Amino acid sequence: ASYWMEGIQALLEEQDHNVEKKLLLFAVAARNPEYYAEIGRRLVQEPPAESAKLVEGEIGYSELFCIHFAHVNGSNGVLCTLRLTNFRLIMEQHEFSDSHALCNRELYTVPLAAISKITCVSSNFCQGLCLVLECKDFRNLYLSLSTQGIAANELCNDLKLLRKHLKQLVPSSINQLYAMVGKPEYGLRSEMAGWPIYNINTEFARLKLGQTGWRISEANVGYTLCDSYSARLIVPEPISDLNLMSAAELRVDRRFIVLSWHNVTSKGTLFRCSQYRSIIATLTAEGGRGSDKQMHQDDLLRFILYRTAPTPLQIFSSWSEKRSTNNKEEEEEEEAERNFALNQSQPQSQWKSSSPINFHYMGLPPVNHVQDALARLRKTVDEHSARMLQDANTRPSRKIIKQRQQDMHLFRKQVEDSGWTASIRKLIKATTIIVLKLQLGESVILQSPDGRNETAQVASLVQLCGDPYYRTITGFSVLVEKEWLSYGHKWCQDSPQKYHPRQLSCAFLQFLDGVWQIMEMYTHAFEFNCQFLLFIIDSLYASRFGTFLADTERQRKSILTTASIWSHVEKHKDKFLNPRYEPPVLVDNSPTQQRALSPSPELVKLWSNYFLRWTAYHPTLAIVSQIPRQQQTINEKLDFTMCCLATIGPIFSDSWSSVRSLDLSANLISSFDVVLRNMSQLEELAVANCLMTSISPQLEDSLKICTNLRRLDLSCNRLCTLPMDAQLGQLTMLTDLNLSHNRLSTLPPSLSQLTNLRLLNLAHNNFGCVTSSGGEKRAPRFPDMVGRLSELTFLDMSGNYLPSIPVQFFTNLTNLVTLRLKNNLIRDLPTSLMSAPLQTLSMSGNPELVRLPDGFNALASSLTSLSLSACTRVFTVLSTPTAGTRGRSAFLKLLAELTNLTALDISKCEIKVLPAILFAAWTNLQTLDLRRNVLTGIPPDVQHMQKLRTLCLQFNYLETIPAEIGKLTNLTTLKLNNNLLTILPSQMGSLTNLNRLELLPRRKNWQARGIYDLPSSSPQLSASLSSSLFSSSLAGSAPSSSTNFNSSVEEPIESEAIFKQRSNKLVTALRDHRENIGAVGSSIIVPSRDKPHNHQITGCRCTSD
């Protein structure tokens, strides 16, 4: 208790007007001084060395020493000290806290302006109540006081008192924001990169508008023309200020057509404006629809039509084509507005033009729908966080893993159903179309109901894709200043509803989400990284800078004394740089002549770095806490699969120095935010089935450290490129590399330095695609460096649309055992393939493959598995009567020499006849797949395949089965369904090892419902079904010895119940007669129906055995 008295005395000596508030909060934590004596001693005698430094202008109010903090209600919470300032809440974890000691005193700060709601709820991690701070950045904070030694009613009063004081600290007006008080000082360079960063004269010159008939108008200097526009605007040179006044009167909020951007190369121009005012009301007042000629004429639109002739003018409206199918008034208003706009093209003024107007509807959802989608997304994230924590607190088991899979599937579905990603998809789609129009030299006008939200989003993204200048840090700052600040955007910072949950600046968040999507598709095209976007959106809600405080340029003049966010960005520019940025090459001293970006809407995904950055923190710690403390430094395998991790945080960099295997698969990881510095002993790393589109710099640095890595799995992501430098080549110990199911089109040259690589999986990438993600055509890029990996034993390049393989590709692959080239467009295999000791070769799904290479029989001694499914042109020589005798003989000889084959797949090859010589040669075959051909018979020489265990003959035209099939005594699976069989040979009774027989006939209205398994303990049944069996089970008649049973009788099925009953009777009969009829197998496929209609079952012809 004496230590607490020292702390109180220290507080009293501080010269602070808020001593009473400090003492009050201090007393809340000091109710049980004995319990907190150790904490008090450390805080007084050993002040924390890592305490958060207050920024300039920040005033500390009070501290609450012992408080539990959590992101999710249900977690154990972290014991921390809560510091209150005029800018933020600072939660500093105690270094002596036993819970989650792996965090190492992480600092959490929450700006007061970002708090939208403070409530009291029941706590799941501390008894009683806790405060919930709902923030605008998708973060929920749960604060609870320790309950030991405190009565419930006293704790409740203390929490209510704390809630009251927190609400008092949250600013209620723009003058109380920290930006108006804190005024940090920056250097001259940073100050010049702040408020003065956007200059309309500089932008006018950069776009070379002075040479194309444009001028800077000062008609709005007094903000009388349009109070939400800037004082100086770019307009056509022949348009007078009086014309601008007339044009402004026609538009909502007087937001007339202004120039946003000009394509220097194609001369395409981008404009923006609001829609016309209520046409219906005007027409009604003037006496009906026929009076639209008496309305004011939009001379500004007329001149733009005149300038764009003869190319059509493209007008993109933000709404859908059918805004309301039931509201006739809205449809009439839209039609009248369209007619009015078309009327402007008539030759009624000095600017006559015959240029047509093309209307487009972008189908962007209105703001209220976007707000609802964002609210649904937030609810989904919060609910999933709770489910994650519940699963994480349970020891791993099959049930928990299955539950995680279901939760992840449900989460992905709910994210899509929220409508947020769908709105981003529509935004990207509209952007791509407009960029293409501008590239073709056409002019585009963007209009929305008020000319703010949707037009600002689309105009900004279009310029981002079309002009590489805006993809730099300085250029992006100019873009935001121009499209969002100078043209006016309602940030709602001075609105009484600012802290309403719906006031989340969703339009600007949508824009930044779209920027992030394009960054993920074109990693090398941006100078800034994801942290830059996160800093901007966080600064918007934090109100640390004055940049986003005012809605218009007119209002901003009163807050120019505040700090600009761009000054801070310039000072700390190194934090926001993208190390992979490739500056554009100047063409005629203008980078704007480069090819525009063409983002794909199909690649849009959830911005996990923003929406999920707080989600997985406590669930991850819960999983870590299950590892015994004594094993945390010696545990060899860590499994974080399906934990909904959005990023890799500090917890992975500070622990587990002896970890050998780390599995992060099946998460929502887009990037690594930390370097795995303490995992130098890592041998296996799996980040499969995530959302990565590129290897982040942190992951690159981690790979440099993990030099002992032997297995790396990056499959099932969205990787478009790999680091082109030597990072990958430093993994000299790597033996297994899985890059399948990505979007790779090239491989770095350093890959050839992986001299110990044994297994390489490159399946389902884009190495053979002739069209890149940007839409431009290119030549196929075969990864030649793979041919230099001499130790390679397994190579999979399936599904890459490869047209060919280099001639000398296999020359150095002298250890290659397994080669998979399925689903490509390969026409011919190189002869260098013979230098590899192949055991498995899969060429299925290559319809262009004409022939096997010369000397293919050189593989006869080693090849054991061959797949040529769907390679129809290879077997044309067997099916075409006009084929030459020499070619046919050579091909048969080549196939017959493959005597060591144990598995052969030649299905879907349209084979009509398979010569008997092949069956006599393939004596070592154990699996033969001949399904989906056009075979009408099987030669008796099939008896030579004594080792055959699986024979697939379904979907052919077989009418008989040779009796010699009874000699295949090792046969366990025989599939004969969907043929034309009417009789089975009695010799099939000798197949004593047969345990699976499929006999469904070739009828379209019959479907296989399943396999009726017989008890494994029962003896094997006969391979031949007797007529007496079918008579007693299906027809219900007495046993008969006839070999022909109901060959022409059709019996209708009356109901599903009757059908099931008959099927069950069949299985029962098989069991009852097993001692009489021998062995058919332990399972049999029977016909079934899925709808209770008038389907028919025909009789069966069976032998009398």
Side-chain angles (χ1 to χ4, degrees):
S2 60
Y3 294 118
W4 287 110
M5 295 303 298
E6 293 181 20
I8 293 175
Q9 185 66 29
L11 285 175
L12 290 173
E13 294 176 356
E14 291 186 8
Q15 300 296 325
D16 196 335
H17 299 291
N18 297 281
V19 172
E20 293 182 0
K21 189 179 297 184
K22 282 190 173 185
L23 291 177
L24 179 62
L25 296 176
F26 194 95
V28 173
R31 287 189 179 275
N32 193 342
E34 294 180 359
Y35 182 72
Y36 298 113
E38 177 64 15
I39 298 175
R41 182 185 67 80
R42 293 191 178 229
L43 288 176
V44 174
Q45 294 186 355
E46 302 175 11
E50 297 182 11
S51 296
K53 294 182 180 180
L54 301 182
V55 297
E56 189 171 354
E58 186 176 11
I59 303 173
Y61 287 153
S62 54
E63 292 183 356
L64 182 58
F65 290 120
C66 300
I67 191 168
H68 287 274
F69 149 76
H71 279 303
V72 181
N73 192 8
S75 64
N76 295 329
V78 178
L79 189 61
C80 64
T81 296
L82 176 63
R83 304 178 66 186
L84 305 178
T85 73
N86 63 335
F87 170 45
R88 54 184 172 167
L89 306 180
I90 303 174
M91 281 144 295
E92 186 174 354
Q93 182 186 352
H94 295 159
E95 62 181 357
F96 47 88
S97 174
D98 290 335
S99 61
H100 310 306
L102 297 173
C103 297
N104 285 340
R105 298 170 55 82
E106 294 183 41
L107 301 177
Y108 303 89
T109 62
V110 182
L112 297 174
I115 301 174
S116 61
K117 190 176 181 181
I118 302 177
T119 57
C120 287
V121 299
S122 59
S123 173
N124 293 335
F125 59 90
C126 288
Q127 298 177 0
L129 300 175
C130 69
L131 288 183
V132 181
L133 277 60
E134 186 175 333
C135 304
K136 295 182 179 181
D137 56 0
F138 268 62
R139 177 169 34 166
N140 291 334
L141 301 179
Y142 296 84
L143 305 179
S144 178
L145 301 175
S146 180
T147 59
Q148 186 169 350
I150 304 178
N153 58 342
E154 294 180 357
L155 180 63
C156 182
N157 293 333
D158 294 338
L159 281 174
K160 290 181 178 179
L161 193 58
L162 178 59
R163 177 189 177 190
K164 178 181 178 181
H165 286 293
L166 285 176
K167 284 190 172 183
Q168 291 177 354
L169 289 176
V170 174
S172 57
S173 67
I174 192 172
N175 293 325
Q176 297 179 2
L177 294 174
Y178 167 75
M180 306 300 293
V181 180
K183 299 178 181 179
E185 295 183 357
Y186 298 99
L188 180 60
R189 180 187 180 92
S190 299
E191 289 289 351
M192 293 304 297
W195 292 112
I197 191 170
Y198 170 61
N199 186 287
I200 193 171
N201 292 330
T202 305
E203 190 72 0
F204 188 85
R206 192 184 70 85
L207 297 177
K208 302 179 180 179
L209 293 172
Q211 307 170 7
T212 55
W214 299 92
R215 69 182 179 92
I216 299 177
S217 172
E218 298 184 355
N220 198 37
V221 171
Y223 304 102
T224 56
L225 188 61
C226 178
D227 60 354
S228 59
Y229 275 172
S230 59
R232 307 175 69 205
L233 301 167
I234 301 176
V235 297
E237 191 172 10
I239 297 295
S240 65
D241 293 346
L242 184 61
N243 295 136
L244 295 179
M245 184 69 70
S246 301
E249 292 176 358
L250 298 175
R251 300 281 178 173
V252 174
D253 294 340
R254 304 178 63 86
R255 296 174 67 87
F256 55 92
I257 301 176
V258 292
L259 183 141
S260 280
W261 181 67
H262 177 71
N263 192 314
V264 178
T265 306
S266 66
K267 309 303 179 183
T269 309
L270 181 67
F271 305 91
R272 58 177 290 180
C273 63
S274 64
Q275 68 181 24
Y276 286 112
R277 297 192 180 199
S278 179
I279 306 293
I280 295 295
T282 305
L283 293 178
T284 304
E286 297 184 0
R289 299 176 60 87
S291 61
D292 56 328
K293 294 183 179 179
Q294 302 174 9
M295 298 178 59
H296 296 288
Q297 301 300 321
D298 193 345
D299 288 333
L300 185 56
L301 177 60
R302 288 183 180 279
F303 180 78
I304 293 175
L305 280 169
Y306 173 76
R307 286 291 305 271
T308 57
T311 59
L313 176 63
Q314 312 292 338
I315 297 182
F316 283 80
S317 297
S318 62
W319 51 75
S320 345
E321 187 170 2
K322 295 293 183 182
R323 284 182 288 178
S324 174
T325 56
N326 299 323
N327 194 332
K328 188 175 181 180
E329 182 179 353
E330 284 189 8
E331 292 181 359
E332 291 180 354
E333 180 178 349
E334 183 175 324
E335 182 181 356
E337 181 175 338
R338 179 187 178 99
N339 292 334
F340 176 68
L342 289 173
N343 185 51
Q344 306 310 307
S345 63
Q346 302 302 319
Q348 300 174 1
S349 69
Q350 56 177 323
W351 299 300
K352 297 180 181 181
S353 172
S354 59
S355 179
I357 298 179
N358 295 338
F359 282 85
H360 307 271
Y361 301 94
M362 294 183 283
L364 302 180
V367 177
N368 59 331
H369 290 182
V370 177
Q371 290 174 337
D372 292 338
L374 189 61
R376 288 191 295 268
L377 179 59
R378 175 159 195 162
K379 181 180 179 181
T380 297
V381 171
D382 292 343
E383 291 176 351
H384 188 66
S385 300
R387 290 197 301 267
M388 282 176 53
L389 184 62
Q390 183 179 359
D391 295 341
N393 284 326
T394 310
R395 287 189 172 276
S397 62
R398 288 187 177 181
K399 183 178 180 181
I400 294 301
I401 293 176
K402 184 177 181 180
Q403 184 63 40
R404 288 183 184 178
Q405 292 175 340
Q406 295 174 353
D407 290 345
M408 182 65 73
H409 177 73
L410 177 63
F411 174 70
R412 292 176 183 265
K413 182 179 183 300
Q414 289 177 338
V415 167
E416 192 62 33
D417 293 343
S418 69
W420 179 262
T421 53
S423 66
I424 303 298
R425 220 170 271 121
K426 292 179 180 179
L427 195 60
I428 296 296
K429 181 179 180 180
T431 299
T432 305
I433 295 174
I434 295 173
V435 168
L436 179 60
K437 297 289 184 183
L438 293 171
Q439 286 286 103
L440 296 176
E442 301 176 3
S443 295
V444 176
I445 296 180
L446 303 176
Q447 65 175 15
S448 64
D450 62 354
R452 286 184 173 89
N453 297 319
E454 295 87 350
T455 52
Q457 291 173 338
V458 178
S460 301
L461 291 178
V462 166
Q463 296 173 67
L464 195 75
C465 293
D467 195 338
Y469 170 71
Y470 297 121
R471 298 196 287 270
T472 64
I473 291 180
T474 302
F476 189 83
S477 306
V478 171
L479 181 65
V480 173
E481 286 279 340
K482 179 179 66 171
E483 296 297 332
W484 294 87
L485 300 174
S486 69
Y487 287 143
H489 179 72
K490 293 182 179 180
W491 305 103
C492 303
Q493 297 285 14
D494 200 21
S495 171
Q497 299 295 325
K498 173 192 171 184
Y499 301 107
H500 192 275
R502 295 175 68 90
Q503 298 296 330
L504 293 176
S505 299
C506 60
F508 192 66
L509 178 59
Q510 263 190 311
F511 161 64
L512 293 182
D513 196 337
V515 175
W516 182 81
Q517 303 289 347
I518 301 174
M519 286 175 57
E520 289 289 289
M521 301 177 201
Y522 297 93
T523 310
H524 298 80
F526 292 82
E527 185 186 20
F528 48 85
N529 55 22
C530 179
Q531 295 301 320
F532 179 61
L533 302 181
L534 294 177
F535 176 75
I536 292 176
I537 192 65
D538 287 343
S539 299
L540 167 63
Y541 297 142
S543 300
R544 180 179 178 182
F545 308 100
T547 305
F548 305 110
L549 296 186
D551 294 344
T552 64
E553 184 182 273
R554 186 176 189 175
Q555 297 176 1
R556 293 178 74 186
K557 290 185 176 181
S558 62
I559 60 171
L560 291 179
T561 56
T562 61
S564 171
I565 184 176
W566 314 123
S567 297
H568 183 88
V569 168
E570 173 61 31
K571 183 177 181 179
H572 304 278
K573 189 175 182 178
D574 293 342
K575 297 180 180 179
F576 308 123
L577 291 176
N578 176 16
R580 299 220 188 104
Y581 174 59
E582 297 178 358
V585 180
L586 296 179
V587 179
D588 296 334
N589 294 325
S590 175
T592 59
Q593 299 188 22
Q594 301 298 312
R595 182 182 295 273
L597 305 183
S598 181
S600 174
E602 291 77 16
L603 300 182
V604 169
K605 57 186 178 182
L606 181 67
W607 187 6
S608 55
N609 297 69
Y610 177 73
F611 295 111
L612 303 178
R613 53 178 168 167
W614 317 109
T615 304
Y617 177 78
H618 287 286
T620 304
L621 292 181
I623 295 176
V624 173
S625 64
Q626 297 177 15
I627 304 174
R629 183 62 57 86
Q630 64 274 14
Q631 295 183 9
Q632 287 183 357
T633 57
I634 62 174
N635 192 61
E636 294 188 355
K637 184 175 182 180
L638 293 177
D639 189 354
F640 288 95
T641 57
M642 293 175 290
C643 291
C644 199
L645 297 176
T647 185
I648 303 302
I651 188 173
F652 291 95
S653 63
D654 298 334
S655 312
W656 313 309
S657 57
S658 300
V659 170
R660 297 290 189 273
S661 176
L662 178 62
D663 194 344
L664 300 168
S665 302
N667 282 289
L668 301 173
I669 299 172
S670 294
S671 63
F672 276 54
D673 289 344
V674 297
V675 180
L676 306 179
R677 299 187 183 281
N678 292 339
M679 294 190 180
S680 57
Q681 303 300 319
L682 199 64
E683 296 180 358
E684 296 184 3
L685 176 61
V687 198
N689 196 17
C690 291
L691 301 177
M692 294 193 303
T693 55
S694 61
I695 305 297
S696 64
Q698 291 80 2
L699 181 54
E700 288 186 31
D701 294 339
S702 300
L703 295 178
K704 291 181 183 179
I705 296 173
C706 302
T707 54
N708 293 321
L709 204 63
R710 285 172 169 77
R711 178 178 176 269
L712 178 60
D713 188 357
L714 300 175
S715 61
C716 299
N717 279 280
R718 304 182 179 189
L719 295 174
C720 298
T721 58
L722 292 177
M724 301 305 291
D725 46 19
Q727 272 89 356
L728 196 60
Q730 296 179 2
L731 302 176
T732 55
M733 303 296 293
L734 198 66
T735 60
D736 186 353
L737 178 59
N738 192 346
L739 298 172
S740 63
H741 294 86
N742 282 287
R743 294 183 173 89
L744 297 172
S745 58
T746 58
L747 291 178
S750 58
L751 184 70
S752 60
Q753 302 175 16
L754 304 179
T755 54
N756 290 315
L757 196 63
R758 302 288 193 277
L759 309 177
L760 178 60
N761 194 339
L762 299 173
H764 299 283
N765 280 284
N766 296 332
F767 295 110
C769 291
V770 296
T771 303
S772 65
S773 58
E776 62 271 12
K777 293 185 177 181
R778 61 168 179 80
R781 302 173 182 174
F782 192 89
D784 296 331
M785 68 289 300
V786 176
R788 296 192 286 271
L789 301 174
S790 58
E791 298 298 324
L792 210 60
T793 60
F794 175 91
L795 176 60
D796 191 348
M797 298 190 67
S798 305
N800 278 285
Y801 305 100
L802 295 171
S804 60
I805 300 177
V807 177
Q808 301 298 327
F809 179 75
F810 297 100
T811 303
N812 296 325
L813 300 181
T814 55
N815 293 306
L816 191 63
V817 174
T818 301
L819 176 62
R820 294 178 180 174
L821 296 172
K822 300 187 297 182
N823 301 322
N824 284 293
L825 301 174
I826 299 174
R827 295 180 55 86
D828 198 0
L829 290 173
T831 55
S832 60
L833 180 66
M834 310 314 139
S835 60
L838 284 181
Q839 297 180 9
T840 300
L841 174 61
S842 179
M843 295 294 300
S844 299
N846 281 275
E848 301 297 325
L849 187 64
V850 178
R851 61 185 181 86
L852 296 178
D854 297 335
F856 189 76
N857 53 0
L859 300 175
S861 59
S862 61
L863 196 64
T864 58
S865 177
L866 176 62
S867 177
L868 295 173
S869 176
C871 297
T872 55
R873 300 185 65 178
V874 174
F875 291 89
T876 304
V877 67
L878 297 181
S879 305
T880 305
T882 59
T885 305
R886 179 177 300 179
R888 178 185 175 90
S889 302
F891 183 68
L892 290 178
K893 181 180 179 182
L894 187 150
L895 292 179
E897 290 180 355
L898 303 177
T899 55
N900 288 327
L901 285 179
T902 59
L904 177 62
D905 182 2
I906 50 176
S907 60
K908 306 176 186 179
C909 290
E910 300 181 7
I911 301 175
K912 296 180 180 179
V913 178
L914 207 56
I917 185 178
L918 299 180
F919 290 91
W922 295 335
T923 56
N924 290 314
L925 271 184
Q926 299 180 13
T927 301
L928 177 59
D929 192 347
L930 295 171
R931 56 191 168 88
R932 294 189 181 276
N933 283 292
V934 287
L935 296 172
T936 57
I938 298 295
D941 295 81
V942 72
Q943 62 181 322
H944 297 292
M945 300 181 178
Q946 293 295 319
K947 297 181 181 180
L948 197 64
R949 300 177 60 86
T950 301
L951 179 58
C952 300
L953 295 169
Q954 63 267 40
F955 292 97
N956 279 283
Y957 293 88
L958 300 177
E959 297 180 355
T960 59
I961 296 294
E964 287 77 6
I965 200 171
K967 298 182 179 181
L968 305 180
T969 56
N970 289 317
L971 201 63
T972 60
T973 300
L974 178 60
K975 298 181 180 181
L976 299 172
N977 49 305
N978 289 277
N979 280 285
L980 302 177
L981 297 172
T982 58
I983 189 171
L984 296 176
S986 60
Q987 287 78 4
M988 287 181 63
S990 303
L991 303 179
T992 56
N993 290 317
L994 192 67
N995 56 38
R996 182 182 178 90
L997 175 63
E998 294 183 7
L999 284 172
L1000 290 183
R1002 199 178 186 90
R1003 289 291 298 269
K1004 293 182 179 180
N1005 59 341
W1006 285 16
Q1007 298 178 1
R1009 179 169 296 278
I1011 300 174
Y1012 289 81
D1013 292 317
L1014 300 180
S1016 58
S1017 58
S1018 63
Q1020 298 293 330
L1021 300 179
S1022 174
S1024 179
L1025 304 181
S1026 68
S1027 59
S1028 62
L1029 171 61
F1030 279 87
S1031 298
S1032 61
S1033 60
L1034 287 179
S1037 59
S1040 171
S1041 60
S1042 173
T1043 60
N1044 185 355
F1045 169 68
N1046 290 345
S1047 60
S1048 60
V1049 178
E1050 294 186 355
E1051 181 181 2
I1053 299 179
E1054 299 178 356
S1055 65
E1056 185 74 16
I1058 294 178
F1059 181 82
K1060 290 183 178 180
Q1061 181 180 3
R1062 292 178 177 173
S1063 300
N1064 291 333
K1065 289 176 65 178
L1066 168 61
V1067 177
T1068 303
L1070 284 171
R1071 293 171 178 168
D1072 294 342
H1073 292 79
R1074 61 178 178 261
E1075 67 276 5
N1076 297 325
I1077 61 176
V1080 176
S1082 61
S1083 60
I1084 180 172
I1085 294 288
V1086 298
S1088 67
R1089 301 179 299 107
D1090 54 0
K1091 294 183 180 179
H1093 296 303
N1094 294 325
H1095 292 268
Q1096 304 289 331
I1097 284 187
T1098 60
C1100 302
R1101 183 186 300 272
C1102 305
T1103 61
S1104 59
D1105 245 1

